[in-house]
Short mmCIF file of all heavy atoms in Angstrom, two decimals:
data_model
loop_
_atom_site.label_atom_id
_atom_site.label_comp_id
_atom_site.label_asym_id
_atom_site.label_seq_id
_atom_site.Cartn_x
_atom_site.Cartn_y
_atom_site.Cartn_z
N MET A 1 207.32 152.91 159.20
CA MET A 1 207.37 151.66 159.93
C MET A 1 207.60 151.97 161.41
O MET A 1 208.27 152.93 161.75
CB MET A 1 208.50 150.78 159.41
CG MET A 1 208.45 150.46 157.96
SD MET A 1 207.47 149.00 157.74
CE MET A 1 207.41 148.92 155.98
N GLN A 2 207.08 151.12 162.25
CA GLN A 2 207.18 151.34 163.68
C GLN A 2 208.09 150.31 164.32
O GLN A 2 208.05 149.12 163.98
CB GLN A 2 205.79 151.26 164.30
CG GLN A 2 205.78 151.61 165.76
CD GLN A 2 204.38 151.69 166.31
OE1 GLN A 2 203.40 151.54 165.58
NE2 GLN A 2 204.26 151.91 167.59
N LEU A 3 208.90 150.78 165.26
CA LEU A 3 209.81 149.91 166.01
C LEU A 3 209.21 149.70 167.39
O LEU A 3 208.86 150.65 168.08
CB LEU A 3 211.18 150.59 166.10
CG LEU A 3 212.32 149.75 166.61
CD1 LEU A 3 212.59 148.58 165.68
CD2 LEU A 3 213.57 150.61 166.72
N ASN A 4 209.08 148.45 167.79
CA ASN A 4 208.46 148.12 169.07
C ASN A 4 209.44 147.40 169.98
O ASN A 4 210.38 146.75 169.51
CB ASN A 4 207.25 147.21 168.85
CG ASN A 4 206.17 147.89 168.05
OD1 ASN A 4 205.74 148.98 168.38
ND2 ASN A 4 205.76 147.25 166.97
N GLN A 5 209.19 147.50 171.29
CA GLN A 5 209.98 146.76 172.26
C GLN A 5 209.85 145.27 171.95
O GLN A 5 208.77 144.77 171.67
CB GLN A 5 209.48 147.05 173.66
CG GLN A 5 210.32 146.44 174.74
CD GLN A 5 209.83 146.80 176.12
OE1 GLN A 5 208.72 147.30 176.29
NE2 GLN A 5 210.65 146.57 177.10
N GLY A 6 210.99 144.58 171.95
CA GLY A 6 211.00 143.16 171.63
C GLY A 6 211.33 142.85 170.18
O GLY A 6 211.61 141.71 169.84
N ASP A 7 211.31 143.87 169.30
CA ASP A 7 211.70 143.67 167.90
C ASP A 7 213.19 143.35 167.81
O ASP A 7 213.98 143.79 168.66
CB ASP A 7 211.43 144.92 167.07
CG ASP A 7 209.96 145.12 166.74
OD1 ASP A 7 209.18 144.16 166.90
OD2 ASP A 7 209.61 146.24 166.32
N ASN A 8 213.57 142.63 166.80
CA ASN A 8 214.98 142.31 166.56
C ASN A 8 215.53 143.15 165.42
O ASN A 8 214.85 143.38 164.42
CB ASN A 8 215.14 140.83 166.22
CG ASN A 8 214.85 139.95 167.41
OD1 ASN A 8 215.16 140.29 168.54
ND2 ASN A 8 214.24 138.81 167.17
N VAL A 9 216.79 143.58 165.59
CA VAL A 9 217.49 144.34 164.56
C VAL A 9 218.92 143.81 164.46
O VAL A 9 219.40 143.11 165.35
CB VAL A 9 217.52 145.86 164.87
CG1 VAL A 9 216.12 146.44 164.91
CG2 VAL A 9 218.25 146.15 166.17
N LEU A 10 219.56 144.15 163.38
CA LEU A 10 220.96 143.79 163.17
C LEU A 10 221.78 145.08 163.13
O LEU A 10 221.47 145.98 162.35
CB LEU A 10 221.11 143.02 161.85
CG LEU A 10 222.47 142.41 161.57
CD1 LEU A 10 222.81 141.33 162.59
CD2 LEU A 10 222.49 141.81 160.18
N VAL A 11 222.78 145.16 164.00
CA VAL A 11 223.63 146.34 164.10
C VAL A 11 224.80 146.20 163.13
O VAL A 11 225.32 145.10 162.92
CB VAL A 11 224.16 146.50 165.54
CG1 VAL A 11 225.07 147.70 165.67
CG2 VAL A 11 223.00 146.62 166.51
N ARG A 12 225.21 147.32 162.52
CA ARG A 12 226.37 147.29 161.62
C ARG A 12 227.61 146.77 162.34
O ARG A 12 227.82 147.06 163.51
CB ARG A 12 226.68 148.70 161.11
CG ARG A 12 225.79 149.08 159.99
CD ARG A 12 226.09 150.48 159.54
NE ARG A 12 224.85 150.92 158.96
CZ ARG A 12 224.74 151.55 157.81
NH1 ARG A 12 225.81 151.90 157.17
NH2 ARG A 12 223.58 151.86 157.34
N PHE A 13 228.42 146.05 161.62
CA PHE A 13 229.69 145.51 162.12
C PHE A 13 229.50 144.54 163.28
O PHE A 13 230.40 144.33 164.07
CB PHE A 13 230.65 146.63 162.52
CG PHE A 13 230.80 147.67 161.45
CD1 PHE A 13 230.36 148.97 161.65
CD2 PHE A 13 231.37 147.35 160.23
CE1 PHE A 13 230.49 149.93 160.66
CE2 PHE A 13 231.50 148.30 159.23
CZ PHE A 13 231.06 149.60 159.45
N ASP A 14 228.33 143.94 163.39
CA ASP A 14 228.06 142.93 164.42
C ASP A 14 227.15 141.89 163.78
O ASP A 14 226.18 142.23 163.13
CB ASP A 14 227.37 143.58 165.62
CG ASP A 14 227.33 142.65 166.83
OD1 ASP A 14 227.46 141.42 166.66
OD2 ASP A 14 227.16 143.17 167.95
N TYR A 15 227.46 140.64 163.98
CA TYR A 15 226.70 139.58 163.32
C TYR A 15 225.62 138.98 164.21
O TYR A 15 224.99 138.01 163.85
CB TYR A 15 227.65 138.48 162.84
CG TYR A 15 228.61 139.00 161.81
CD1 TYR A 15 229.94 139.24 162.14
CD2 TYR A 15 228.19 139.29 160.52
CE1 TYR A 15 230.83 139.74 161.20
CE2 TYR A 15 229.07 139.79 159.58
CZ TYR A 15 230.39 140.00 159.92
OH TYR A 15 231.25 140.50 159.01
N ASN A 16 225.41 139.56 165.41
CA ASN A 16 224.40 139.05 166.32
C ASN A 16 223.14 139.90 166.27
O ASN A 16 223.21 141.11 166.09
CB ASN A 16 224.94 139.05 167.76
CG ASN A 16 226.10 138.09 167.94
OD1 ASN A 16 226.05 136.97 167.46
ND2 ASN A 16 227.14 138.53 168.61
N ILE A 17 222.02 139.25 166.47
CA ILE A 17 220.75 139.95 166.55
C ILE A 17 220.68 140.68 167.89
O ILE A 17 221.10 140.16 168.92
CB ILE A 17 219.58 138.94 166.44
CG1 ILE A 17 219.56 138.31 165.05
CG2 ILE A 17 218.25 139.60 166.76
CD1 ILE A 17 219.23 139.25 163.93
N HIS A 18 220.16 141.89 167.88
CA HIS A 18 219.93 142.68 169.09
C HIS A 18 218.43 142.90 169.23
O HIS A 18 217.72 143.04 168.24
CB HIS A 18 220.64 144.03 169.00
CG HIS A 18 222.12 143.95 169.08
ND1 HIS A 18 222.89 143.35 168.12
CD2 HIS A 18 222.97 144.40 170.03
CE1 HIS A 18 224.16 143.43 168.46
NE2 HIS A 18 224.23 144.07 169.63
N THR A 19 217.96 142.95 170.47
CA THR A 19 216.55 143.14 170.77
C THR A 19 216.31 144.55 171.29
O THR A 19 217.04 145.02 172.16
CB THR A 19 216.09 142.10 171.80
OG1 THR A 19 216.36 140.80 171.29
CG2 THR A 19 214.59 142.22 172.08
N VAL A 20 215.28 145.19 170.77
CA VAL A 20 214.93 146.55 171.19
C VAL A 20 214.36 146.50 172.61
O VAL A 20 213.45 145.71 172.89
CB VAL A 20 213.88 147.16 170.23
CG1 VAL A 20 213.44 148.53 170.72
CG2 VAL A 20 214.43 147.23 168.82
N ILE A 21 214.93 147.33 173.50
CA ILE A 21 214.39 147.43 174.85
C ILE A 21 213.75 148.79 175.10
O ILE A 21 212.90 148.92 175.96
CB ILE A 21 215.45 147.11 175.93
CG1 ILE A 21 216.71 147.95 175.78
CG2 ILE A 21 215.79 145.64 175.90
CD1 ILE A 21 217.73 147.73 176.87
N ASP A 22 214.13 149.81 174.32
CA ASP A 22 213.54 151.14 174.46
C ASP A 22 213.98 152.01 173.29
O ASP A 22 214.95 151.68 172.60
CB ASP A 22 213.97 151.78 175.77
CG ASP A 22 213.07 152.92 176.22
OD1 ASP A 22 212.00 153.13 175.60
OD2 ASP A 22 213.42 153.61 177.19
N THR A 23 213.27 153.11 173.08
CA THR A 23 213.66 154.08 172.05
C THR A 23 213.55 155.49 172.62
O THR A 23 212.79 155.74 173.54
CB THR A 23 212.74 153.99 170.81
OG1 THR A 23 211.40 154.21 171.21
CG2 THR A 23 212.86 152.65 170.12
N ASP A 24 214.37 156.39 172.07
CA ASP A 24 214.32 157.81 172.41
C ASP A 24 214.27 158.56 171.09
O ASP A 24 215.30 158.92 170.52
CB ASP A 24 215.54 158.20 173.23
CG ASP A 24 215.49 159.63 173.74
OD1 ASP A 24 214.69 160.43 173.21
OD2 ASP A 24 216.25 159.95 174.67
N VAL A 25 213.06 158.76 170.60
CA VAL A 25 212.86 159.35 169.27
C VAL A 25 213.47 160.74 169.15
O VAL A 25 214.17 161.02 168.17
CB VAL A 25 211.36 159.34 168.90
CG1 VAL A 25 211.13 160.05 167.59
CG2 VAL A 25 210.85 157.91 168.83
N PRO A 26 213.27 161.66 170.12
CA PRO A 26 213.85 163.00 169.96
C PRO A 26 215.38 162.98 169.79
O PRO A 26 215.94 163.80 169.08
CB PRO A 26 213.45 163.73 171.24
CG PRO A 26 212.22 163.02 171.72
CD PRO A 26 212.43 161.58 171.32
N ARG A 27 216.04 162.05 170.44
CA ARG A 27 217.51 161.95 170.34
C ARG A 27 217.97 161.02 169.22
O ARG A 27 219.16 160.93 168.94
CB ARG A 27 218.09 161.47 171.66
CG ARG A 27 217.95 162.47 172.76
CD ARG A 27 218.63 161.99 173.99
NE ARG A 27 218.54 162.97 175.04
CZ ARG A 27 219.13 162.87 176.20
NH1 ARG A 27 219.84 161.81 176.47
NH2 ARG A 27 219.00 163.81 177.10
N GLY A 28 217.06 160.27 168.65
CA GLY A 28 217.43 159.33 167.60
C GLY A 28 218.21 158.15 168.13
O GLY A 28 219.05 157.58 167.44
N LYS A 29 217.93 157.75 169.36
CA LYS A 29 218.63 156.64 170.01
C LYS A 29 217.72 155.43 170.13
O LYS A 29 216.51 155.54 170.36
CB LYS A 29 219.09 157.03 171.41
CG LYS A 29 220.13 158.11 171.45
CD LYS A 29 221.47 157.54 171.15
CE LYS A 29 222.54 158.61 171.34
NZ LYS A 29 223.84 158.10 171.02
N ILE A 30 218.33 154.26 169.99
CA ILE A 30 217.64 153.00 170.19
C ILE A 30 218.45 152.22 171.22
O ILE A 30 219.67 152.10 171.08
CB ILE A 30 217.54 152.21 168.88
CG1 ILE A 30 216.80 153.03 167.83
CG2 ILE A 30 216.85 150.87 169.10
CD1 ILE A 30 216.85 152.44 166.45
N TYR A 31 217.78 151.74 172.23
CA TYR A 31 218.45 150.98 173.28
C TYR A 31 218.23 149.50 173.00
O TYR A 31 217.09 149.04 172.90
CB TYR A 31 217.92 151.39 174.65
CG TYR A 31 218.19 152.85 174.91
CD1 TYR A 31 217.26 153.82 174.56
CD2 TYR A 31 219.39 153.26 175.44
CE1 TYR A 31 217.51 155.16 174.75
CE2 TYR A 31 219.66 154.62 175.65
CZ TYR A 31 218.72 155.55 175.30
OH TYR A 31 218.98 156.89 175.48
N LEU A 32 219.33 148.79 172.83
CA LEU A 32 219.29 147.40 172.42
C LEU A 32 220.00 146.50 173.42
O LEU A 32 220.95 146.93 174.08
CB LEU A 32 219.97 147.24 171.06
CG LEU A 32 219.43 148.08 169.91
CD1 LEU A 32 220.31 147.90 168.68
CD2 LEU A 32 217.99 147.69 169.60
N GLN A 33 219.55 145.27 173.47
CA GLN A 33 220.19 144.25 174.29
C GLN A 33 220.74 143.18 173.36
O GLN A 33 220.03 142.71 172.46
CB GLN A 33 219.18 143.65 175.26
CG GLN A 33 219.77 142.67 176.23
CD GLN A 33 218.74 142.21 177.24
OE1 GLN A 33 217.55 142.17 176.96
NE2 GLN A 33 219.18 141.85 178.41
N ASP A 34 221.99 142.78 173.60
CA ASP A 34 222.58 141.74 172.75
C ASP A 34 222.28 140.36 173.31
O ASP A 34 221.60 140.22 174.34
CB ASP A 34 224.09 141.97 172.56
CG ASP A 34 224.90 141.85 173.84
OD1 ASP A 34 224.40 141.29 174.84
OD2 ASP A 34 226.05 142.33 173.84
N ILE A 35 222.78 139.34 172.66
CA ILE A 35 222.48 137.96 173.06
C ILE A 35 223.10 137.59 174.40
O ILE A 35 222.73 136.59 174.99
CB ILE A 35 222.92 136.96 171.97
CG1 ILE A 35 224.42 137.03 171.73
CG2 ILE A 35 222.14 137.18 170.68
CD1 ILE A 35 224.95 135.94 170.82
N TYR A 36 224.03 138.40 174.88
CA TYR A 36 224.69 138.15 176.16
C TYR A 36 224.01 138.89 177.30
O TYR A 36 224.43 138.80 178.45
CB TYR A 36 226.16 138.54 176.08
CG TYR A 36 226.87 137.84 174.95
CD1 TYR A 36 227.23 138.54 173.81
CD2 TYR A 36 227.13 136.47 175.00
CE1 TYR A 36 227.86 137.90 172.75
CE2 TYR A 36 227.76 135.82 173.95
CZ TYR A 36 228.12 136.54 172.83
OH TYR A 36 228.72 135.91 171.78
N GLY A 37 222.97 139.68 176.99
CA GLY A 37 222.24 140.42 178.01
C GLY A 37 222.76 141.83 178.24
O GLY A 37 222.24 142.55 179.09
N ASP A 38 223.79 142.24 177.50
CA ASP A 38 224.34 143.58 177.66
C ASP A 38 223.50 144.57 176.88
O ASP A 38 223.13 144.33 175.74
CB ASP A 38 225.79 143.62 177.16
CG ASP A 38 226.70 142.70 177.94
OD1 ASP A 38 226.50 142.58 179.17
OD2 ASP A 38 227.61 142.11 177.33
N ALA A 39 223.21 145.73 177.50
CA ALA A 39 222.41 146.77 176.86
C ALA A 39 223.30 147.96 176.50
O ALA A 39 224.24 148.29 177.22
CB ALA A 39 221.29 147.21 177.78
N GLN A 40 222.98 148.58 175.37
CA GLN A 40 223.73 149.73 174.90
C GLN A 40 222.83 150.58 174.00
O GLN A 40 221.91 150.06 173.39
CB GLN A 40 224.96 149.26 174.11
CG GLN A 40 225.89 150.37 173.72
CD GLN A 40 227.18 149.83 173.11
OE1 GLN A 40 227.55 148.68 173.32
NE2 GLN A 40 227.84 150.65 172.36
N SER A 41 223.13 151.87 173.92
CA SER A 41 222.36 152.73 173.02
C SER A 41 223.07 152.82 171.67
O SER A 41 224.30 152.78 171.60
CB SER A 41 222.19 154.13 173.62
OG SER A 41 223.42 154.80 173.70
N TYR A 42 222.28 152.94 170.63
CA TYR A 42 222.79 153.04 169.27
C TYR A 42 222.08 154.18 168.56
O TYR A 42 220.91 154.46 168.84
CB TYR A 42 222.53 151.75 168.48
CG TYR A 42 223.34 150.58 168.98
CD1 TYR A 42 222.85 149.76 169.99
CD2 TYR A 42 224.59 150.30 168.44
CE1 TYR A 42 223.59 148.68 170.46
CE2 TYR A 42 225.34 149.22 168.91
CZ TYR A 42 224.84 148.42 169.91
OH TYR A 42 225.57 147.37 170.37
N ASN A 43 222.77 154.81 167.64
CA ASN A 43 222.15 155.79 166.77
C ASN A 43 221.42 155.06 165.65
O ASN A 43 221.79 153.94 165.28
CB ASN A 43 223.20 156.72 166.15
CG ASN A 43 223.85 157.61 167.16
OD1 ASN A 43 223.20 158.12 168.06
ND2 ASN A 43 225.15 157.78 167.04
N VAL A 44 220.41 155.69 165.11
CA VAL A 44 219.62 155.10 164.04
C VAL A 44 220.51 154.68 162.87
O VAL A 44 220.29 153.65 162.24
CB VAL A 44 218.53 156.09 163.59
CG1 VAL A 44 217.79 155.58 162.38
CG2 VAL A 44 217.57 156.38 164.73
N GLU A 45 221.55 155.46 162.59
CA GLU A 45 222.45 155.18 161.46
C GLU A 45 223.25 153.89 161.65
O GLU A 45 223.81 153.37 160.70
CB GLU A 45 223.43 156.33 161.25
CG GLU A 45 222.77 157.65 160.89
CD GLU A 45 222.26 158.40 162.11
OE1 GLU A 45 222.71 158.15 163.24
OE2 GLU A 45 221.37 159.25 161.92
N GLU A 46 223.33 153.39 162.88
CA GLU A 46 224.11 152.19 163.16
C GLU A 46 223.34 150.89 162.93
O GLU A 46 223.90 149.80 163.06
CB GLU A 46 224.61 152.22 164.61
CG GLU A 46 225.58 153.35 164.88
CD GLU A 46 226.02 153.39 166.31
OE1 GLU A 46 225.30 153.99 167.14
OE2 GLU A 46 227.08 152.79 166.60
N ILE A 47 222.07 151.00 162.57
CA ILE A 47 221.25 149.81 162.34
C ILE A 47 221.41 149.37 160.89
O ILE A 47 221.19 150.12 159.96
CB ILE A 47 219.77 150.09 162.65
CG1 ILE A 47 219.60 150.63 164.07
CG2 ILE A 47 218.93 148.83 162.43
CD1 ILE A 47 220.11 149.72 165.16
N GLU A 48 221.85 148.13 160.73
CA GLU A 48 222.06 147.56 159.39
C GLU A 48 220.74 147.03 158.82
O GLU A 48 220.42 147.26 157.66
CB GLU A 48 223.08 146.42 159.46
CG GLU A 48 223.38 145.77 158.15
CD GLU A 48 224.24 146.62 157.24
OE1 GLU A 48 225.02 147.46 157.74
OE2 GLU A 48 224.12 146.46 156.02
N LYS A 49 220.01 146.27 159.64
CA LYS A 49 218.73 145.70 159.19
C LYS A 49 217.68 145.89 160.27
O LYS A 49 217.91 145.59 161.44
CB LYS A 49 218.88 144.22 158.86
CG LYS A 49 219.72 143.98 157.63
CD LYS A 49 219.60 142.57 157.16
CE LYS A 49 220.40 142.41 155.88
NZ LYS A 49 220.19 141.12 155.27
N TRP A 50 216.53 146.39 159.84
CA TRP A 50 215.39 146.62 160.71
C TRP A 50 214.53 145.36 160.74
O TRP A 50 214.70 144.47 159.90
CB TRP A 50 214.60 147.81 160.18
CG TRP A 50 215.42 149.07 160.19
CD1 TRP A 50 216.13 149.58 159.15
CD2 TRP A 50 215.63 149.95 161.28
NE1 TRP A 50 216.76 150.73 159.53
CE2 TRP A 50 216.47 150.99 160.84
CE3 TRP A 50 215.18 149.98 162.60
CZ2 TRP A 50 216.87 152.03 161.67
CZ3 TRP A 50 215.57 151.02 163.43
CH2 TRP A 50 216.41 152.03 162.95
N PRO A 51 213.58 145.28 161.66
CA PRO A 51 212.73 144.07 161.73
C PRO A 51 212.06 143.74 160.39
O PRO A 51 211.97 142.57 160.00
CB PRO A 51 211.67 144.42 162.78
CG PRO A 51 212.30 145.45 163.63
CD PRO A 51 213.23 146.22 162.72
N TRP A 52 211.61 144.75 159.67
CA TRP A 52 210.95 144.52 158.38
C TRP A 52 211.94 144.10 157.31
O TRP A 52 211.56 143.52 156.32
CB TRP A 52 210.14 145.74 157.96
CG TRP A 52 210.89 147.04 158.10
CD1 TRP A 52 211.69 147.63 157.15
CD2 TRP A 52 210.92 147.89 159.23
NE1 TRP A 52 212.21 148.81 157.64
CE2 TRP A 52 211.75 149.00 158.92
CE3 TRP A 52 210.32 147.85 160.50
CZ2 TRP A 52 212.00 150.02 159.82
CZ3 TRP A 52 210.57 148.87 161.39
CH2 TRP A 52 211.39 149.95 161.05
N ASP A 53 213.26 144.38 157.51
CA ASP A 53 214.29 143.91 156.57
C ASP A 53 214.65 142.47 156.86
O ASP A 53 214.99 141.71 155.94
CB ASP A 53 215.55 144.77 156.67
CG ASP A 53 215.33 146.20 156.24
OD1 ASP A 53 214.50 146.43 155.34
OD2 ASP A 53 215.98 147.09 156.82
N LEU A 54 214.64 142.10 158.13
CA LEU A 54 214.97 140.72 158.50
C LEU A 54 213.91 139.76 157.98
O LEU A 54 214.21 138.61 157.69
CB LEU A 54 215.10 140.60 160.02
CG LEU A 54 216.29 141.31 160.63
CD1 LEU A 54 216.22 141.25 162.16
CD2 LEU A 54 217.60 140.72 160.16
N ASN A 55 212.68 140.24 157.89
CA ASN A 55 211.59 139.46 157.29
C ASN A 55 211.47 138.07 157.88
O ASN A 55 211.26 137.09 157.17
CB ASN A 55 211.80 139.40 155.78
CG ASN A 55 210.53 139.08 155.03
OD1 ASN A 55 209.44 139.23 155.57
ND2 ASN A 55 210.66 138.66 153.79
N GLY A 56 211.66 137.99 159.20
CA GLY A 56 211.52 136.71 159.88
C GLY A 56 212.73 135.82 159.78
O GLY A 56 212.74 134.72 160.30
N LYS A 57 213.78 136.28 159.09
CA LYS A 57 214.97 135.46 158.93
C LYS A 57 216.07 136.03 159.83
O LYS A 57 216.64 137.05 159.54
CB LYS A 57 215.45 135.48 157.48
CG LYS A 57 214.45 134.95 156.52
CD LYS A 57 214.95 135.12 155.11
CE LYS A 57 213.86 134.76 154.12
NZ LYS A 57 214.22 135.10 152.75
N GLU A 58 216.34 135.34 160.94
CA GLU A 58 217.37 135.79 161.86
C GLU A 58 218.71 135.24 161.44
O GLU A 58 218.82 134.17 160.86
CB GLU A 58 217.04 135.38 163.28
CG GLU A 58 215.77 136.05 163.77
CD GLU A 58 215.54 135.81 165.25
OE1 GLU A 58 216.39 135.20 165.90
OE2 GLU A 58 214.49 136.27 165.73
N VAL A 59 219.76 135.98 161.76
CA VAL A 59 221.12 135.57 161.43
C VAL A 59 221.56 134.48 162.39
O VAL A 59 221.37 134.58 163.59
CB VAL A 59 222.09 136.78 161.52
CG1 VAL A 59 223.51 136.34 161.27
CG2 VAL A 59 221.67 137.85 160.54
N SER A 60 222.13 133.43 161.87
CA SER A 60 222.61 132.34 162.70
C SER A 60 224.03 132.61 163.16
O SER A 60 224.84 133.18 162.45
CB SER A 60 222.57 131.04 161.89
OG SER A 60 223.16 130.01 162.62
N ASN A 61 224.34 132.18 164.36
CA ASN A 61 225.70 132.32 164.90
C ASN A 61 226.55 131.09 164.65
O ASN A 61 227.62 130.95 165.19
CB ASN A 61 225.64 132.61 166.41
CG ASN A 61 225.05 133.96 166.69
OD1 ASN A 61 225.19 134.87 165.90
ND2 ASN A 61 224.39 134.09 167.82
N ASP A 62 226.05 130.16 163.86
CA ASP A 62 226.77 128.91 163.58
C ASP A 62 227.93 129.13 162.65
O ASP A 62 227.94 129.91 161.77
CB ASP A 62 225.83 127.88 162.96
CG ASP A 62 224.72 127.52 163.94
OD1 ASP A 62 224.94 127.66 165.15
OD2 ASP A 62 223.64 127.09 163.48
#
């Protein structure tokens, strides 16, 4: 499966959707932006749900 800029993922221990802004495949890093606009790098192991796992169903913050 391929991860593209703009895809949404769910990070472990966080209930907010994060958006992919960049990837660094050799380092295994994914750069994500949260709903507040803050960007941070994550290891592949820190991703709870990938875009294909979310299957169009985003987590609600309600």
Side-chain angles (χ1 to χ4, degrees):
M1 303 272 175
Q2 186 173 356
L3 191 62
N4 297 307
Q5 185 177 14
D7 284 345
N8 291 324
V9 298
L10 188 64
V11 178
R12 280 179 206 225
F13 309 114
D14 192 339
Y15 297 105
N16 295 315
I17 294 294
H18 290 66
T19 303
V20 176
I21 54 176
D22 199 8
T23 58
D24 186 342
V25 175
R27 291 184 178 186
K29 294 281 187 181
I30 301 170
Y31 299 91
L32 303 174
Q33 185 175 29
D34 65 17
I35 61 172
Y36 305 107
D38 298 323
Q40 187 172 339
S41 67
Y42 292 89
N43 292 320
V44 174
E45 298 82 20
E46 295 178 275
I47 305 301
E48 181 74 27
K49 291 193 177 188
W50 298 95
W52 47 89
D53 295 327
L54 291 173
N55 201 18
K57 299 175 188 171
E58 296 188 4
V59 176
S60 173
N61 293 329
D62 297 335

